[in-house]
């Protein structure tokens, strides 16, 4: 049974248009012109329990709007949406009890309270029984190494510390579903890795269903088996990362480290993408020329220190996908 | 603890930390209290006709007012204002809570905590040196405490309504300054209500505002008999319930707009 079902979701916002200049402002008082912005334009997908889905798209693509609809704080114009068999906006409170939400951009903790008091307040708000609260809290604290942070007021936490606290806060009531909206935004490399490890563990070991929206393609590559790409309110692609790659481009990259500096590599069946120092990056189409053949030719012609083949980075894939659609 | 009680208590503890603000408030209220006492002293010296309250009673009334000023619903909650302005108010709905009672609990903490911080020193100072009399009798004390509770319930309801009104008036001070003027005058904070002309008395008796100041203060002094507490408390409760019902309706419309139009 699917845990989350979204069918043909449409949401339009009316945006008041300001007219330029003083005269425009005066006219705006009497008559406002409105423009419709279609944030969601027929979104459909469904999630099985325990899935970890990357939900990606450029700014304004409709990612947050989707998360808001799923959380019950935004009512769509039309379409179907069920989370654990409930329509989120009709049963907002019951739905809120079953889900956890983390926004990278804003904390849900209480600014003035020490972390531990925020947790206790959440325990009361979500009516978590004391015995299970103690257990869940201790586990989360151990997983995220939070012990030293407990007595610190939230406003004194660093961004990385705050994110760990926010993750704990969203999970104290053991939700079956977790929405993570850009959880690694602005974090340093170490914190990012910590958050990723935690999310992976949560999904694999506890079977929490996770929807992860992010701009960080490393998050996606590290965590998500399934990726939904949206732009302008429509789903461009939904499948595994490999499917997505195959769908967009078959090209592979060959990275060559030459023995001499500023050397040049030319081959009729590969194009140079970049050159820096000893390193030359080439792209080629494996259907046209096999990697082995290409490597054979290049090693014959140049003195090579090292060389390897890789997939184009996900950023590249996504960028092409958008480009393709918009053309 | 139930969720709303937990919010109230957490907010209360947070607000108790603002001791510097309380000290400053105490100083200001002491100063204004002295001026108000002087004004009434001049008034009583020059008047020849019989007044509805004795000078002693007015002085007690003034110091009670200065002590409990922070309890009055005269302004809006800056945090709620910030939530509305930034559009983050939508995120309040992520909690498995009824938004009205969530905000009501906040408002209640906000009306109680600063009042407690300011009232304790004011009672001591005014009681020892400035002519604040003790309650008229044990019965008066009991009636005062009950009506103070009623006043708090009412004050939190009015505060919550002001906060909810911020969802429409972006600047926020429109409705708040209007209500603030009404509250300060019609509750009897500026001039005790018995000094108002006779024709105004029935209107003042009907309106909710006297339940904030006039009723509890006069019960304290025995100026209203303690036996009246039942009717007076019922008046406070009835208005509280009416305001809660009306505010919930307004908030429902506000959130509907919010969930349709986004944050």
């Amino acid at each position: 049974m699917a845990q989350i079902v979204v069918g043909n979701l449409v949401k339009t916002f009316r945006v008041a248009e300001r007219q330029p200049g003083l005269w425009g402002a005066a006219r705006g008082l009497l008559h406002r012109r409105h423009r419709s912005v279609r944030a969601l334009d027929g979104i459909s997908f469904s999630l099985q329990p325990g899935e970890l889905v990357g939900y990606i798209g450029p700014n304004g693509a409709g990612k947050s709007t989707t998360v808001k609809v799923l959380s019950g704080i935004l009512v769509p114009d039309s379409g179907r949406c069920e989370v654990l068999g409930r329509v989120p906006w009709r049963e907002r409170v019951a739905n809120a009890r079953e889900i956890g939400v983390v926004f990278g951009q804003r904390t849900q903790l209480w600014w003035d309270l020490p972390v531990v008091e925020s947790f206790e307040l959440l325990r009361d708000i979500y009516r978590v029984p004391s015995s299970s609260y103690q257990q869940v809290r201790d586990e989360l604290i151990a997983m995220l190494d939070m012990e030293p942070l407990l007595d610190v007021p939230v406003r004194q936490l660093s961004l990385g510390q705050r994110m760990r606290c926010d993750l704990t806060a969203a999970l104290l009531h053991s939700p079956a579903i977790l929405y993570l909206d850009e959880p690694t935004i602005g974090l340093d490399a170490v914190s990012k890795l910590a958050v990723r490890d935690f999310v992976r563990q949560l999904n694999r070991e506890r079977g929490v269903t996770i929807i992860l929206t992010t701009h960080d393609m490393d998050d996606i590559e590290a965590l998500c088996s399934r990726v939904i790409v949206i732009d302008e309110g429509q789903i461009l692609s939904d499948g595994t990362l490999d499917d997505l790659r195959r769908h967009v481009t078959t090209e592979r990259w060959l990275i060559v480290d030459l023995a001499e500096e500023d050397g040049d590599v030319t081959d009729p069946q590969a194009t140079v993408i970049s050159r820096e120092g000893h390193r030359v990056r080439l792209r080629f189409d494996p259907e046209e020329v096999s990697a082995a053949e290409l490597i054979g030719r290049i090693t014959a012609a140049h003195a090579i220190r090292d060389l390897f083949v890789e997939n184009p980075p996900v950023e590249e894939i996504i960028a092409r996908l958008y480009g393709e659609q918009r053309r | 603890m139930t969720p709303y009680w937990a919010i109230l208590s957490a907010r209360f503890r947070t607000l108790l930390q603002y001791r510097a603000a309380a000290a400053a408030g105490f100083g200001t209220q002491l100063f204004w209290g002295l001026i108000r006492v002087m004004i009434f002293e001049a008034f009583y010296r020059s008047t020849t006709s019989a007044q509805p309250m004795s000078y002693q009673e007015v002085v007690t009334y003034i110091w009670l007012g200065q002590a409990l000023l922070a309890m009055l619903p005269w302004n809006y909650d800056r945090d709620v204002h910030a939530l509305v302005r930034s559009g983050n108010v939508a995120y309040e709905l992520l909690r498995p809570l009824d938004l009205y009672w969530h905000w009501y609990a906040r408002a209640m903490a906000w009306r109680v905590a600063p009042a407690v911080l300011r009232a304790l020193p004011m009672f001591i100072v005014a009681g020892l040196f400035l002519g604040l009399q003790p309650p008229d009798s044990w019965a008066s004390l009991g009636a005062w405490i009950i009506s103070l509770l009623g006043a708090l319930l009412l004050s939190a309801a009015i505060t919550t309504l002001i906060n909810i009104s911020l969802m429409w008036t972006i600047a926020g001070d429109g409705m708040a300054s209007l209500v603030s003027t009404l509250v300060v005058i019609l509750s009897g904070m500026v001039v005790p209500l018995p000094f108002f002309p006779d024709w105004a008395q029935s209107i003042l008796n009907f309106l909710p505002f006297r339940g904030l100041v006039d009723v509890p203060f006069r019960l304290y002094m025995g100026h209203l008999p303690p036996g009246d507490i039942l009717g007076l408390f019922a008046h406070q409760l009835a208005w509280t319930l009416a305001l809660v019902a009306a505010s919930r309706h307004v908030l429902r419309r506000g959130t509907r707009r919010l969930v349709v139009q986004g944050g």
Side-chain angles (χ1 to χ4, degrees):
Chain A
M1 248 282 287
Q3 218 168 24
I4 298 177
V5 184
V6 172
N8 210 13
L9 218 53
V10 174
K11 176 73 200 176
T12 315
F13 291 112
R14 262 158 62 89
V15 182
E17 276 193 337
R18 287 245 175 96
Q19 293 160 38
L22 197 59
W23 175 237
R27 274 209 328 218
L29 287 176
L30 300 173
H31 176 76
R32 285 235 181 111
R33 258 193 297 181
H34 289 273
R35 185 167 49 96
S36 288
V37 176
R38 196 151 261 216
L40 298 179
D41 192 4
I43 298 271
S44 304
F45 60 84
S46 68
L47 257 65
Q48 299 300 321
E51 274 196 272
L52 202 174
V53 178
Y55 197 60
I56 57 182
N59 291 329
K63 303 186 298 285
S64 296
T65 306
T66 312
V67 171
K68 282 185 185 171
V69 170
L70 289 172
S71 319
I73 63 176
L74 199 61
V75 181
D77 300 345
S78 66
R80 201 162 77 92
C81 175
E82 272 179 29
V83 176
L84 294 166
R86 290 192 195 92
V87 178
W89 60 92
R90 283 211 196 104
E91 294 176 72
R92 177 181 68 78
V93 172
N95 182 60
R97 228 181 274 288
E98 308 278 352
I99 61 170
V101 189
V102 175
F103 295 96
Q105 306 269 28
R106 59 185 303 281
T107 181
Q108 303 214 70
L109 302 165
W110 286 265
W111 214 237
D112 303 306
L113 293 181
V115 173
V116 67
E117 285 189 36
S118 279
F119 292 169
E120 279 160 17
L121 187 48
L122 286 166
R123 172 198 63 197
D124 292 334
I125 287 178
Y126 285 89
R127 300 176 201 262
V128 183
S130 297
S131 53
S132 74
Y133 167 75
Q134 207 63 35
Q135 191 198 337
V136 172
R137 195 196 83 154
D138 291 347
E139 279 175 29
L140 289 168
I141 286 173
M143 279 165 88
L144 285 164
D145 189 22
M146 294 253 315
E147 198 61 52
L149 303 181
L150 288 178
D151 295 319
V152 182
V154 172
R155 77 176 104 77
Q156 289 174 13
L157 297 174
S158 74
L159 190 59
Q161 293 170 333
R162 208 213 72 204
M163 182 45 61
R164 276 145 64 197
C165 293
D166 257 312
L167 281 167
T168 308
L171 292 162
L172 287 171
H173 57 292
S174 312
I177 298 171
L178 182 64
Y179 306 131
L180 297 172
D181 195 0
E182 305 195 27
T184 56
I185 196 160
L187 297 188
D188 61 57
V190 178
S191 303
K192 266 187 195 178
L193 288 180
V195 168
R196 264 178 222 149
D197 282 343
F198 176 73
V199 170
R200 189 182 300 119
Q201 212 178 339
L202 207 61
N203 175 253
R204 304 255 161 93
E205 289 172 17
R206 305 186 174 210
V208 176
T209 309
I210 298 174
I211 295 185
L212 168 71
T213 78
T214 183
H215 287 294
D216 188 327
M217 295 307 157
D218 293 336
D219 287 349
I220 298 288
E221 207 140 16
L223 294 171
C224 305
S225 48
R226 178 177 166 196
V227 180
I228 298 177
V229 186
I230 75 164
D231 191 20
E232 295 180 343
Q234 290 180 321
I235 292 185
L236 301 186
S237 141
D238 179 356
T240 65
L241 206 50
D242 291 339
D243 285 343
L244 176 61
R245 279 217 172 84
R246 233 168 289 141
H247 167 71
V248 176
T249 174
T250 53
E251 89 176 28
R252 311 255 291 164
W253 288 8
L254 177 64
I255 286 95
V256 183
D257 284 350
L258 297 168
E260 83 259 36
E261 201 157 337
D262 297 323
D264 198 9
V265 178
T266 46
D267 191 279
Q269 285 176 305
T271 32
V272 175
I273 308 168
S274 69
R275 243 180 240 116
E276 41 191 287
H278 294 272
R279 177 161 289 194
V280 180
R281 221 179 237 109
L282 300 142
R283 70 159 64 107
F284 66 98
D285 183 351
E287 278 165 19
E288 197 183 316
V289 54
S290 77
E293 198 184 329
L294 190 65
I295 290 168
R297 278 210 301 263
I298 290 173
T299 41
H302 303 277
I304 303 293
R305 247 194 345 211
D306 191 10
L307 114 188
F308 51 97
V309 178
E310 64 174 28
N311 286 318
V314 189
E315 282 93 339
E316 180 82 13
I317 307 274
I318 303 291
R320 282 204 207 169
L321 191 62
Y322 297 150
E324 206 172 278
Q325 293 291 322
R326 288 203 168 141
R327 221 172 286 144
Chain B
M1 266 198 281
T2 74
Y4 305 101
W5 187 251
I7 288 168
L8 198 161
S9 116
R11 187 81 192 130
F12 184 79
R13 276 175 288 139
T14 306
L15 288 168
L16 281 188
Q17 292 166 10
Y18 294 103
R19 296 202 188 94
F26 172 73
T28 316
Q29 275 142 38
L30 196 63
F31 176 73
W32 283 109
L34 288 172
I35 290 183
R36 289 179 64 200
V37 169
M38 282 187 249
I39 292 171
F40 273 95
E41 195 185 348
F43 170 71
Y44 273 90
R45 284 223 180 120
S46 61
T47 186
T48 48
S49 55
Q51 293 302 328
M53 285 171 127
S54 72
Y55 174 68
Q56 283 301 324
E57 286 174 330
V58 169
V59 170
T60 294
Y61 188 102
I62 287 172
W63 289 117
L64 279 176
Q66 297 310 107
L68 296 168
L69 186 67
M71 228 181 77
L72 275 192
W74 61 277
N75 56 358
Y76 56 83
D77 187 336
R78 279 171 198 282
D79 292 350
V80 172
H81 190 219
L83 281 177
V84 172
R85 278 198 79 122
S86 60
N88 285 338
V89 61
Y91 296 109
E92 294 274 278
L93 298 171
L94 285 174
R95 309 268 185 224
L97 294 174
D98 180 284
L99 188 57
Y100 180 80
W101 293 116
H102 180 177
W103 282 6
Y104 186 90
R106 273 185 70 97
M108 180 58 91
W110 194 44
R111 286 308 170 211
V112 178
V116 168
L117 284 180
R118 289 161 176 76
L120 291 178
M122 190 64 87
F123 268 98
I124 294 169
V125 171
L128 290 178
F129 308 111
L130 301 168
L132 170 69
Q133 304 290 315
D136 188 52
S137 64
W138 287 105
S140 296
L141 176 66
W144 176 61
I145 289 171
I146 293 171
S147 74
L148 215 49
L149 181 71
L152 280 172
L153 292 170
L154 187 57
S155 178
I158 298 175
T159 304
T160 312
L161 182 57
I162 299 176
N163 286 338
I164 291 169
S165 80
L166 296 173
M167 290 172 108
W168 278 270
T169 56
I170 291 295
D173 13 35
M175 169 97 167
S177 56
L178 182 74
V179 173
S180 148
T181 313
L182 285 179
V183 162
V184 172
I185 294 172
L186 301 179
S187 65
M189 187 50 100
V190 179
V191 175
L193 295 189
F195 287 91
F196 279 63
D198 287 341
W199 60 263
Q201 292 299 330
S202 57
I203 303 171
L204 292 169
N205 280 342
F206 170 73
L207 289 175
F209 305 107
R210 72 178 294 225
L212 296 167
V213 171
D214 176 73
V215 168
F217 290 12
R218 283 165 67 199
L219 282 168
Y220 176 96
M221 301 185 303
H223 199 262
L224 290 171
D228 285 4
I229 182 63
L230 270 183
L232 293 168
F233 188 62
H235 182 260
Q236 291 171 321
L237 269 193
W239 269 109
T240 303
L241 291 177
L243 282 166
V244 168
S247 309
R248 288 183 68 85
H249 178 71
V250 177
L251 182 61
R252 225 180 346 260
R253 294 188 49 177
T255 38
R256 196 176 304 145
R257 217 169 61 142
L258 197 70
V259 297
V260 170
Q261 190 50 39

